[in-house]
């Protein structure tokens, strides 16, 4: 089985712009979660989607949003980028939900905001 | 401090030695997971231990869970240079009425060849 893929792998944006990141889960996995990783805050949960519905959301401002398609692929969008949004964004998929199952992570998208 | 705090923050050992990392958490949990991350890459799941389990093994890995102390430990035996990575514990912590996977700050393990 192919692993979790994320595109793009690297991205450079400027403040005020918006960005869309994409994640393709492992075939058959219906749950997709997103995380932000920074040196200062560590790994923080953004949101989880299951069967096209947002099941859970972390403590991030409304500028961070996401969606999941019928084929379980997911996108996350960050609008009005700020310098502090520079981070490694990780996507993970699992068969069931994030808290009860092993998660399979993608390689991440490294976003740099200038 | 965060749910799931690892201790120590950094650990340097020689190949062949054992490495022990600890994780403490605050709220009740249903399970606890350990993940490994190689420098700036995605995480790899190592082991999941449920709240009614006390110990679990997987190859050279041994995880213990003490729910009365709200702590877990990860032991890597006979370490190898390839074990050099950051290790994170993650719990299904309850936050504002919902449970979400919450990661600790991690332990950076360096195994010297």
């Amino acid at each position: 089985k192919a692993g979790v893929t994320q595109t793009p792998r690297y991205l450079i944006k400027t403040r005020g712009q918006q960005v869309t990141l994409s994640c393709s889960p492992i075939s058959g996995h219906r749950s997709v979660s997103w995380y932000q990783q920074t040196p200062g805050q560590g790994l923080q949960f953004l949101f989880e989607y299951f069967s096209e519905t947002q099941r859970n959301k972390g403590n991030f401002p409304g500028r961070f949003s996401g969606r999941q398609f019928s084929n379980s692929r997911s996108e996350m969008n960050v609008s009005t980028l700020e310098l502090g949004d520079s981070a490694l964004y990780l996507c993970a998929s699992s068969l069931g939900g994030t808290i009860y199952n092993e998660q399979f992570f993608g390689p991440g998208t490294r976003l740099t905001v200038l | 401090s965060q749910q799931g705090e690892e201790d120590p923050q950094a650990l340097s050992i020689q190949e062949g030695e054992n490495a022990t990392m600890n994780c403490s958490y605050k709220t009740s949990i249903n399970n606890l997971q350990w993940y490994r991350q190689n420098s700036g890459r995605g995480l790899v799941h190592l082991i999941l231990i449920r709240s009614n389990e006390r110990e679990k093994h997987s190859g050279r890995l041994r995880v213990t869970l003490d729910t009365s102390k709200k702590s877990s430990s990860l032991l890597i035996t006979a370490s190898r240079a390839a074990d050099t990575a950051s290790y994170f514990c993650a719990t299904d912590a309850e936050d504002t009425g919902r449970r979400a996977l919450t990661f600790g700050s991690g332990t950076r393990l360096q195994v010297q060849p």
Side-chain angles (χ1 to χ4, degrees):
Chain A
K1 272 187 179 178
V4 177
T5 58
Q6 291 186 246
T7 57
R9 292 292 310 279
Y10 302 91
L11 207 48
I12 299 175
K13 292 285 189 179
T14 56
R15 276 184 302 174
Q17 288 187 311
Q18 75 159 10
V19 67
T20 299
L21 311 181
S22 181
C23 171
S24 292
I26 290 173
S27 177
H29 285 191
R30 296 164 66 188
S31 169
V32 174
S33 298
W34 289 89
Y35 299 85
Q36 180 197 65
Q37 186 176 29
T38 60
Q41 299 298 318
L43 271 158
Q44 293 187 285
F45 170 74
L46 280 158
F47 27 66
E48 179 196 1
Y49 286 87
F50 186 88
S51 294
E52 301 179 66
T53 301
Q54 186 180 87
R55 191 151 70 170
N56 206 350
K57 190 177 191 300
N59 295 323
F60 278 81
R63 300 185 296 107
F64 291 81
S65 63
R67 58 179 176 168
Q68 186 180 32
F69 302 95
S70 58
N71 61 358
S72 292
R73 191 177 70 84
S74 176
E75 288 181 347
M76 68 162 279
N77 184 76
V78 188
S79 62
T80 321
L81 284 166
E82 300 177 0
L83 295 179
D85 296 333
S86 294
L88 180 66
Y89 289 88
L90 293 163
C91 161
S93 75
S94 65
L95 275 172
T98 62
I99 63 175
Y100 299 113
N101 297 274
E102 171 185 357
Q103 292 190 87
F104 294 83
F105 281 81
T109 293
R110 186 163 295 281
L111 172 65
T112 302
V113 182
L114 303 176
Chain B
S1 59
Q2 296 182 40
Q3 172 87 341
E5 289 289 338
E6 282 92 339
D7 168 56
Q9 289 189 337
L11 182 61
S12 182
I13 59 175
Q14 296 294 125
E15 219 170 14
E17 293 180 337
N18 295 341
T20 299
M21 289 158 265
N22 302 297
C23 167
S24 61
Y25 56 92
K26 295 179 180 177
T27 67
S28 64
I29 62 171
N30 293 303
N31 63 64
L32 185 146
Q33 304 182 43
W34 284 92
Y35 287 83
R36 182 188 75 223
Q37 183 180 35
N38 290 82
S39 185
R41 298 183 185 176
L43 281 73
V44 174
H45 182 266
L46 296 176
I47 203 160
L48 181 152
I49 186 166
R50 304 199 186 281
S51 60
N52 61 354
E53 296 175 309
R54 291 296 168 259
E55 189 171 311
K56 210 162 181 181
H57 297 255
S58 176
R60 293 183 297 112
L61 306 180
R62 173 182 167 241
V63 167
T64 62
L65 178 63
D66 187 334
T67 53
S68 67
K69 295 181 179 178
K70 291 187 168 59
S71 68
S72 173
S73 68
L74 170 66
L75 168 68
I76 303 174
T77 60
S79 63
R80 304 166 182 168
D83 294 329
T84 294
S86 290
Y87 292 81
F88 297 88
C89 69
T91 59
D92 61 325
E94 184 167 342
D95 182 21
T96 61
R98 287 185 169 182
R99 286 193 177 269
L101 200 61
T102 304
F103 285 84
S105 51
T107 292
R108 291 187 308 278
L109 173 65
Q110 176 78 39
V111 181
Q112 307 284 353

